[in-house]
Amino acid sequence: MKFLPKRRLTLLFAAACLVNVVRAADASATDPAPALLDTINRVLDMVSGKSPDEITASVPAIRDQMSDTVAIDAIVQRSFGRNWSKLTAPQKTEAIDLLGRLIIRTYATQISTGERPKVTVTSSKLIAPERREVITSAASPGKTVSVIYRLSPIGGAWKVYDVLGENLSIVGNYRQQFDEHFEHKSAEDLLVILRQKLTAPVVAPPPSAAK
């Protein structure tokens, strides 16, 4: 095998770092709100008026629609927090799949109930270096809900790493539950629970509780 000269390796490494810096800078300079709003509306197109069973069957397609602006794997890892290191590599892969499907199914079921809401962006701002917050308003007859999306540059684009609805954080909620779980139980025990949740019947929330 022919090895590259040390100087050339150094230059290649520097070039790769520069590309990553440029990508991050490009992401930071772009307001992600329009793309995120487009994703929300495309998901609404897919799930509005659908039954829980229909939504469950559509989860893979919904995940694909969300992939450009929502980092499900980042949401899952942040939800586990310090407990992420307690999982083996295969368990991490399964956790991303299981919890990712559960999060998407719950979100889609909630927004599918009742009359389709009118979603607008009310604010989009930097809250820290490489951290952005997009606040949306989902208005339907008799009810308006504010939903906050938090994003960071992931893979060269702004992507959601947490969602807050009615002051409840998806990541924070799951992290609290997982912290309590890992005090006495194992990663495999948690995967069993997630598998059971995904196979249990889904009950749609009443229209007044949706969105």
Side-chain angles (χ1 to χ4, degrees), residues 119-190:
V119 181
T120 57
V121 173
T122 59
S123 175
S124 178
K125 61 184 180 182
L126 285 170
I127 56 175
E130 298 195 344
R131 292 290 184 272
R132 197 171 189 102
E133 189 173 85
V134 175
I135 302 176
T136 65
S137 174
S140 54
K143 187 175 182 68
T144 299
V145 175
S146 177
V147 181
I148 301 171
Y149 297 85
R150 289 182 176 159
L151 305 89
S152 64
I154 299 173
W158 285 105
K159 292 192 177 183
V160 174
Y161 66 83
D162 194 11
V163 181
L164 290 79
E166 298 182 344
N167 295 319
L168 293 176
S169 158
I170 287 179
V171 168
N173 183 44
Y174 276 113
R175 186 176 294 178
Q176 181 179 4
Q177 295 179 59
F178 293 166
D179 283 348
E180 294 173 358
H181 171 91
F182 278 102
E183 287 180 4
H184 305 290
K185 297 181 180 180
S186 68
E188 185 55 38
D189 292 332
L190 181 56

